[in-house]
Amino acid sequence: MSLRHLSSGDDTRRAAVLRVVLIIPMLFGLVFVPINLLQDRLPLALAEVGMMIYAGVIYRLLGRGLSLRSATWAYLIPFLSVLVFALATAANVSVFVWALVIPLVSHRLLGRRDGSIVGLVFLALAAAIMLLRFGFAPTVVEWAEMSDALLCAATLFAISLAHEIEITRAEHQLRQRADLDSLTHLASRVRFRELFDQARRAAQRGEPGAPTHVSMILIDLDHFKRINDRYGHDIGDIVLEAVAMRLLHQCREADILGRVGGEELAILLFDLDHADAVQQAERLRQTVSDTPVAARDHAVAVTLSLGVASFSLAGHSFEEIFAEADARLYQAKREGRNRTQGQPVAAQARQLRLLEPSPERRD
């Protein structure tokens, strides 16, 4: 859950590839099943019919929430088994051309490591079947044909692996840019929300080790506009970055710290009592207020206002928890700033908060 372990990867892309892989056998079966029946290859025809039906079932389950990884392995193993059976019973060498697409499919579906293992194992198996089917003492022409097929397979595998590496690298870079705030290097607001939602779904499913309770600390740098006006925005950026690093160093490994507004930061603390969360907020406030930030030739004094709200994770949305923490933060600011508010606030104070300008415009 920590920002030190942000994950990347494009499940949307892999899901799209899997759907194509599921649809193609259903369509191609309409061609190959009759051909195999005409050639008196009943077992292979029945296997192909079975894969057509099975592909349709997996496609439907995928649309109903079956996890991408489960759907991929549930289909890929039977699919490759039927393909091996086709290679072992084929009337001629032309069927081996289908082996060439397996590295491409496995890389797209499974990624670099698992895709490479599946691709290499299948290519080795296909090569062994080819040699056993057509003899170990082929003619020069047959050796040339088999060599072409094997070299083509190796080339496609290498190209597919290189492409997967490049896609992974590009996705990681794009994901980092989207996940991390460029100034503070904390989670962006979008990523902060995503991590909350991931934890909430795990809690709702009752996964082993999933957190059941969450506290949110919403943090605002007091009079940040004055810092920008007095010292300039460059100094303001240095101050904001320094405060973010101080807070990060005081957080637990499992805590999630993000930038959710102009000068607003937020922390998610899982499975921590509310009183402990308030104490942690106070420690953070003192850590920042006790030592001015050194920004070039300036020593800039910074204080924080903090609002702390705690709820059960499975039963409350991000909006509910954020709104409560925000109301308490606003109360801390109304009471003079440089303080932590962990208690619920009155309805009148909430109404006043709704009338206040957005975080980016307020002082």
Side-chain angles (χ1 to χ4, degrees):
M1 294 300 301
S2 169
L3 284 177
R4 298 171 178 86
H5 298 89
L6 287 174
S7 61
S8 60
D10 191 351
D11 286 347
T12 301
R13 172 175 61 85
R14 290 182 180 175
V17 173
L18 179 58
R19 288 187 174 91
V20 171
V21 172
L22 291 169
I23 290 172
I24 287 177
M26 290 189 283
L27 296 177
F28 283 13
L30 299 175
V31 176
F32 289 112
V33 169
I35 291 175
N36 287 321
L37 288 175
L38 290 173
Q39 294 179 336
D40 294 325
R41 300 169 67 191
L42 182 60
L44 182 56
L46 292 176
E48 290 171 339
V49 170
M51 283 308 303
M52 292 172 65
I53 297 172
Y54 187 64
V57 171
I58 295 296
Y59 191 96
R60 188 173 183 83
L61 291 176
L62 186 63
R64 291 188 172 185
L66 180 65
S67 72
L68 177 60
R69 183 171 180 82
S70 297
T72 298
W73 283 110
Y75 178 73
L76 201 56
I77 293 175
F79 171 73
L80 294 179
S81 299
V82 170
L83 187 53
V84 167
F85 179 63
L87 298 179
T89 59
N92 54 65
V93 75
S94 64
V95 73
F96 284 85
V97 71
W98 290 102
L100 303 181
V101 304
I102 297 305
L104 178 64
V105 171
S106 60
H107 279 138
R108 297 295 83 77
L109 290 177
L110 302 174
R112 180 174 56 186
R113 189 195 64 180
D114 291 348
S116 294
I117 293 172
V118 171
L120 285 173
V121 169
F122 187 85
L123 288 178
L125 189 58
I129 292 173
M130 179 185 290
L131 292 174
L132 289 173
R133 288 289 315 280
F134 299 100
F136 289 96
T139 65
V140 174
V141 173
E142 289 172 333
W143 262 118
E145 291 175 348
M146 286 190 292
S147 297
D148 283 340
L150 293 174
L151 289 174
C152 182
T155 301
L156 288 176
F157 177 87
I159 292 173
S160 178
L161 177 59
H163 188 240
E164 184 64 27
I165 292 172
E166 187 57 33
I167 287 177
T168 302
R169 182 183 295 114
E171 286 177 351
H172 178 71
Q173 292 174 347
L174 290 173
R175 185 70 178 177
Q176 275 197 320
R177 292 174 186 173
D179 286 348
L180 301 181
D181 174 66
S182 60
L183 175 62
T184 63
H185 306 292
L186 305 178
S188 66
R189 184 184 179 97
V190 172
R191 182 58 175 166
F192 187 80
R193 168 65 183 271
E194 287 178 350
L195 292 171
F196 173 90
D197 288 340
Q198 288 176 15
R200 187 187 183 206
R201 287 193 295 270
Q204 290 174 331
R205 291 192 296 264
E207 295 181 3
T212 59
H213 191 80
V214 63
S215 297
M216 181 183 293
I217 303 176
L218 199 56
I219 305 165
D220 190 271
L221 276 68
D222 295 330
H223 301 299
F224 189 68
K225 183 176 183 298
R226 296 182 188 178
I227 294 175
N228 281 329
D229 291 343
R230 179 177 178 181
Y231 299 104
H233 287 277
D234 289 346
I235 298 297
D237 288 347
I238 294 173
V239 169
L240 182 58
E241 183 179 7
V243 169
M245 289 302 101
R246 287 189 191 180
L247 297 179
L248 184 62
H249 291 153
Q250 292 297 318
C251 287
R252 303 174 303 168
E253 181 73 14
D255 297 340
I256 297 172
L257 179 58
R259 183 183 182 188
V260 296
E263 69 271 17
E264 278 195 344
L265 309 175
I267 306 175
L268 294 175
L269 306 95
F270 297 101
D271 287 338
L272 194 66
D273 291 340
H274 181 69
D276 293 333
V278 173
Q279 289 182 1
Q280 171 67 349
E282 265 296 289
R283 283 193 291 270
L284 296 175
R285 184 188 64 78
Q286 292 176 359
T287 295
V288 173
S289 63
D290 287 350
T291 306
V293 174
R296 296 179 183 166
D297 297 329
H298 306 284
V300 183
V302 185
T303 61
L304 305 177
S305 296
L306 306 94
V308 187
S310 302
F311 292 90
S312 66
L313 184 55
H316 295 84
S317 68
F318 180 86
E319 289 79 10
E320 290 173 321
I321 299 175
F322 189 91
E324 182 59 33
D326 189 52
R328 298 182 187 188
L329 167 62
Y330 178 63
Q331 184 68 16
K333 294 173 73 69
R334 289 184 71 242
E335 292 179 356
R337 295 182 169 86
N338 191 24
R339 65 186 63 234
T340 298
Q341 174 66 35
Q343 299 301 316
V345 299
Q348 182 180 5
R350 296 175 186 277
Q351 187 64 29
L352 290 173
R353 175 65 187 92
L354 294 175
L355 299 175
E356 193 194 42
S358 65
E360 288 78 4
R361 298 195 304 273
R362 72 173 185 253
D363 180 16

